[in-house]
Amino acid sequence: MKIKDIFAKKTVFSFEVFPPKNNSAIDVIYHTLDDLGDLKPDFISVTFSAGGSGNSGLALDIAAKIREKGITPVLHLPCINYTKEQIDETLELAKAQGIENILALRGDINPDITPVEDFKHASDLITYLKRKGNFDIAGACYPEGHPDSDTLEEDIENLKIKVDAGADHLITQLFFDNEYFYKFREMTAAKGINVPIEAGIMPVVNKKQIERMVTTCGASLPRKFVKIMQKYENNPEALRDAGIAYAINQIVDLAANDVDGIHLYTMNNAYVARKISEAVTGIIEV
Ligand code: FAD
């Protein structure tokens, strides 16, 4: 099933998983996929290492497993550190597994790796994918602007290039303040970007995640989010429940404002995905 056809029918609700860093954890992710599959998301996407670290070989296996469970997989495909030949190889493997949905990405620039630059931007990969087969193509977008762009306006100019190259729909970077998303949606519409935009929601449910948010994530942390994290950071269960509640609140507000879709960054946590799904399924379907 092509994801663009799902958007034509309903508000999309999807999950994202990542391959474990080592093969010993493979059983754990397969078990997680069983649980996530039971929640019947519209698709599950699988991250792919941009090169240098991570376990990209497993991404295809995981995507195939998702498909076996009757759920549509989306394979992330970063291009900056890969040659055309390597991308071709991955596409052939993907086709052989029946994968027809790709999230085309540049990948983060790693200071320890000299980029291959067969593809400089995600839009170059999208142009290439259009020639390579009949894939449904998603792209990434950034409600608060990509850190490489000087301004949000400049980033949206570049996003238009990505969409014009053939991105069928977009998935946002995580954000904790819906107002950024609404402003972004207005600005993209004004630029003539008319493809569906799924909102990326990350439930923050443990202390490690909070620390990562504060140091590496470019997303603004609204006062109410910071207060919750400060209050519960030393009480794991309360923090988990508060993080779930925060994500549910964001989703309810987005649904009320006619969002095209919700993409849940599950962090491979099926318990959290279940709690959120149970709370919002009826709200999203209405
Ligand atoms: P691009 O679209 O190429 O944009 C990067 C920068 O270049 C931006 O500043 C943009 O404005 C500018 N730009 C874009 N096109 C042009 C152009 N034609 N001319 C001039 N400037 C241009 N990374 C991974 O490694 N693996 C993953 O699985 C992964 N999954 C992700 C999933 C989502 C939903 C998101 C939001 C991000 C994901 N990332 C992943 C991270 C992503 O690779 C990084 O954010 C990366 O820095 C940018 O990727 P991009 O595809 O948005 O790049």
Side-chain angles (χ1 to χ4, degrees):
M1 175 89 156
K2 295 233 165 72
I3 307 299
K4 64 178 165 217
D5 297 333
I6 310 178
F7 277 111
K9 284 191 249 165
K10 67 187 282 285
T11 309
V12 167
F13 187 59
S14 59
F15 296 153
E16 179 170 312
V17 297
F18 57 85
K21 282 236 154 62
N22 54 54
N23 286 333
S24 60
I26 190 78
D27 287 345
V28 179
I29 181 72
Y30 286 163
H31 186 67
T32 303
L33 288 179
D34 281 336
D35 292 345
L36 292 177
D38 289 347
L39 302 174
K40 303 273 174 261
D42 290 307
F43 69 84
I44 300 180
S45 77
V46 191
T47 67
F48 196 103
S49 163
S53 67
N55 201 345
S56 47
L58 263 184
L60 276 160
D61 294 347
I62 292 173
K65 210 60 169 188
I66 292 166
R67 194 163 169 270
E68 271 173 32
K69 291 184 187 304
I71 307 287
T72 302
V74 172
L75 183 71
H76 296 209
L77 189 58
C79 58
I80 189 73
N81 297 316
Y82 293 108
T83 61
K84 277 190 177 156
E85 289 70 27
Q86 286 169 317
I87 293 289
D88 284 347
E89 209 177 294
T90 304
L91 291 177
E92 284 312 314
L93 291 168
K95 274 187 201 165
Q97 303 276 17
I99 294 164
E100 48 183 1
N101 298 282
I102 304 275
L103 171 54
L105 297 153
R106 182 194 70 180
D108 283 328
I109 307 285
N110 180 337
D112 299 328
I113 302 177
T114 308
V116 171
E117 290 200 351
D118 276 11
F119 306 95
K120 210 161 174 231
H121 293 292
S123 52
D124 302 324
L125 177 62
I126 293 173
T127 303
Y128 191 69
L129 287 173
K130 283 297 213 196
R131 293 209 307 266
K132 278 284 159 181
N134 189 19
F135 292 106
D136 175 283
I137 304 170
C141 63
Y142 304 82
E144 298 184 55
H146 188 278
D148 291 358
S149 289
D150 291 334
T151 61
L152 179 58
E153 286 76 9
E154 178 192 313
D155 196 31
I156 291 175
E157 294 275 349
N158 294 329
L159 184 61
K160 177 83 168 93
I161 300 174
K162 186 177 335 200
V163 171
D164 288 348
D168 294 300
H169 45 97
L170 300 169
I171 305 178
T172 75
Q173 177 63 288
L174 61 93
F175 57 88
F176 298 106
D177 181 344
N178 290 357
E179 292 308 318
Y180 284 102
F181 178 79
Y182 299 137
K183 183 169 167 246
F184 175 75
R185 206 167 51 167
E186 273 172 27
M187 290 172 76
T188 51
K191 270 276 158 227
I193 294 173
N194 296 319
V195 296
I197 304 177
E198 256 196 297
I201 297 296
M202 160 92 78
V204 176
V205 293
N206 61 54
K207 207 170 168 177
K208 219 163 107 194
Q209 263 181 302
I210 300 180
E211 281 153 12
R212 209 174 316 129
M213 285 307 119
V214 174
T215 52
T216 61
C217 152
S220 303
L221 304 177
R223 187 178 168 277
K224 66 177 174 183
F225 177 86
V226 174
K227 290 299 279 181
I228 291 169
M229 296 303 135
Q230 282 170 347
K231 170 114 181 147
Y232 301 115
E233 65 180 344
N234 294 317
N235 182 339
E237 262 186 35
L239 176 61
R240 182 197 63 200
D241 292 347
I244 290 171
Y246 192 92
I248 291 169
N249 269 330
Q250 269 195 285
I251 296 170
V252 171
D253 181 62
L254 288 161
N257 284 280
D258 298 324
V259 71
D260 294 316
I262 300 290
H263 186 65
L264 203 61
Y265 294 102
T266 70
M267 303 305 289
N268 295 359
N269 187 329
Y271 172 86
V272 171
R274 173 175 295 279
K275 286 285 173 197
I276 294 174
S277 301
E278 284 171 355
V280 305
T281 303
I283 290 159
I284 286 180
E285 293 301 331
V286 171

Short mmCIF file of all heavy atoms in Angstrom, two decimals, residues 18-23 47-59 82 110:
data_model
loop_
_atom_site.label_atom_id
_atom_site.label_comp_id
_atom_site.label_asym_id
_atom_site.label_seq_id
_atom_site.Cartn_x
_atom_site.Cartn_y
_atom_site.Cartn_z
N PHE A 18 13.64 2.01 15.49
CA PHE A 18 15.03 2.01 15.02
C PHE A 18 15.65 0.64 15.25
O PHE A 18 15.27 -0.07 16.20
CB PHE A 18 15.84 3.12 15.70
CG PHE A 18 15.87 3.06 17.20
CD1 PHE A 18 16.78 2.25 17.88
CD2 PHE A 18 14.95 3.80 17.95
CE1 PHE A 18 16.79 2.19 19.27
CE2 PHE A 18 14.95 3.74 19.35
CZ PHE A 18 15.87 2.94 20.00
N PRO A 19 16.59 0.23 14.39
CA PRO A 19 17.25 -1.06 14.58
C PRO A 19 18.13 -1.01 15.83
O PRO A 19 18.76 0.02 16.09
CB PRO A 19 18.13 -1.22 13.33
CG PRO A 19 17.64 -0.20 12.37
CD PRO A 19 17.04 0.91 13.17
N PRO A 20 18.18 -2.11 16.60
CA PRO A 20 19.07 -2.12 17.77
C PRO A 20 20.52 -2.01 17.32
O PRO A 20 20.85 -2.39 16.19
CB PRO A 20 18.79 -3.48 18.41
CG PRO A 20 18.14 -4.31 17.36
CD PRO A 20 17.46 -3.38 16.41
N LYS A 21 21.37 -1.48 18.21
CA LYS A 21 22.78 -1.25 17.84
C LYS A 21 23.52 -2.56 17.60
O LYS A 21 24.46 -2.63 16.82
CB LYS A 21 23.49 -0.45 18.94
CG LYS A 21 23.15 1.04 18.89
CD LYS A 21 24.41 1.91 18.78
CE LYS A 21 24.17 3.24 18.13
NZ LYS A 21 23.25 4.13 18.81
N ASN A 22 23.12 -3.63 18.30
CA ASN A 22 23.81 -4.90 18.06
C ASN A 22 22.80 -6.01 17.80
O ASN A 22 21.64 -5.94 18.20
CB ASN A 22 24.75 -5.26 19.22
CG ASN A 22 24.00 -5.24 20.53
OD1 ASN A 22 22.98 -5.90 20.67
ND2 ASN A 22 24.48 -4.44 21.49
N ASN A 23 23.28 -7.04 17.11
CA ASN A 23 22.38 -8.10 16.67
C ASN A 23 21.77 -8.88 17.83
O ASN A 23 20.73 -9.51 17.67
CB ASN A 23 23.12 -9.07 15.74
CG ASN A 23 23.35 -8.42 14.39
OD1 ASN A 23 22.60 -7.55 13.97
ND2 ASN A 23 24.41 -8.83 13.70
N THR A 47 14.26 3.50 10.88
CA THR A 47 15.40 4.39 10.62
C THR A 47 16.57 3.60 10.04
O THR A 47 16.64 2.38 10.15
CB THR A 47 15.85 5.13 11.90
OG1 THR A 47 16.41 4.18 12.80
CG2 THR A 47 14.72 5.88 12.56
N PHE A 48 17.47 4.35 9.39
CA PHE A 48 18.59 3.73 8.66
C PHE A 48 19.81 4.59 8.96
O PHE A 48 19.74 5.83 8.85
CB PHE A 48 18.23 3.78 7.18
CG PHE A 48 19.04 2.90 6.27
CD1 PHE A 48 18.52 1.70 5.79
CD2 PHE A 48 20.32 3.28 5.87
CE1 PHE A 48 19.25 0.91 4.92
CE2 PHE A 48 21.06 2.48 5.01
CZ PHE A 48 20.52 1.29 4.53
N SER A 49 20.89 3.97 9.30
CA SER A 49 22.08 4.75 9.66
C SER A 49 22.60 5.54 8.46
O SER A 49 22.68 5.01 7.35
CB SER A 49 23.15 3.80 10.17
OG SER A 49 24.40 4.45 10.15
N ALA A 50 22.99 6.80 8.72
CA ALA A 50 23.54 7.61 7.63
C ALA A 50 24.97 7.20 7.30
O ALA A 50 25.61 7.77 6.43
CB ALA A 50 23.50 9.09 8.02
N GLY A 51 25.46 6.19 7.97
CA GLY A 51 26.83 5.71 7.70
C GLY A 51 27.73 6.03 8.88
O GLY A 51 27.55 7.04 9.55
N GLY A 52 28.66 5.15 9.14
CA GLY A 52 29.62 5.39 10.21
C GLY A 52 29.23 4.75 11.53
O GLY A 52 30.07 4.36 12.30
N SER A 53 27.92 4.67 11.79
CA SER A 53 27.49 4.03 13.03
C SER A 53 26.12 3.41 12.79
O SER A 53 25.56 3.53 11.72
CB SER A 53 27.38 5.06 14.15
OG SER A 53 26.32 5.94 13.87
N GLY A 54 25.58 2.76 13.81
CA GLY A 54 24.25 2.20 13.66
C GLY A 54 24.30 0.86 12.95
O GLY A 54 25.36 0.33 12.66
N ASN A 55 23.14 0.34 12.67
CA ASN A 55 23.05 -1.02 12.15
C ASN A 55 22.10 -1.02 10.95
O ASN A 55 21.00 -1.55 11.01
CB ASN A 55 22.54 -1.94 13.28
CG ASN A 55 22.88 -3.37 13.02
OD1 ASN A 55 23.23 -3.74 11.90
ND2 ASN A 55 22.77 -4.20 14.04
N SER A 56 22.55 -0.39 9.83
CA SER A 56 21.64 -0.20 8.70
C SER A 56 21.25 -1.52 8.04
O SER A 56 20.17 -1.63 7.47
CB SER A 56 22.25 0.75 7.68
OG SER A 56 23.56 0.41 7.40
N GLY A 57 22.13 -2.54 8.14
CA GLY A 57 21.80 -3.83 7.56
C GLY A 57 20.51 -4.39 8.11
O GLY A 57 19.74 -5.04 7.41
N LEU A 58 20.27 -4.11 9.38
CA LEU A 58 19.07 -4.66 10.02
C LEU A 58 17.80 -3.95 9.59
O LEU A 58 16.71 -4.49 9.72
CB LEU A 58 19.21 -4.49 11.53
CG LEU A 58 19.71 -5.68 12.34
CD1 LEU A 58 19.66 -5.32 13.82
CD2 LEU A 58 18.85 -6.89 12.09
N ALA A 59 17.94 -2.71 9.10
CA ALA A 59 16.75 -1.93 8.78
C ALA A 59 15.86 -2.64 7.76
O ALA A 59 14.64 -2.71 7.91
CB ALA A 59 17.14 -0.54 8.27
N TYR A 82 26.53 7.80 1.02
CA TYR A 82 26.41 6.61 0.18
C TYR A 82 26.60 6.97 -1.30
O TYR A 82 26.15 8.03 -1.76
CB TYR A 82 25.05 5.93 0.38
CG TYR A 82 24.88 5.35 1.77
CD1 TYR A 82 24.03 5.93 2.70
CD2 TYR A 82 25.60 4.22 2.18
CE1 TYR A 82 23.89 5.42 3.99
CE2 TYR A 82 25.47 3.70 3.46
CZ TYR A 82 24.61 4.31 4.36
OH TYR A 82 24.49 3.79 5.63
N ASN A 110 28.37 14.11 9.38
CA ASN A 110 29.22 13.59 10.46
C ASN A 110 30.63 14.16 10.27
O ASN A 110 31.25 13.92 9.24
CB ASN A 110 29.22 12.05 10.37
CG ASN A 110 30.07 11.40 11.44
OD1 ASN A 110 30.98 12.03 11.99
ND2 ASN A 110 29.77 10.15 11.72
#
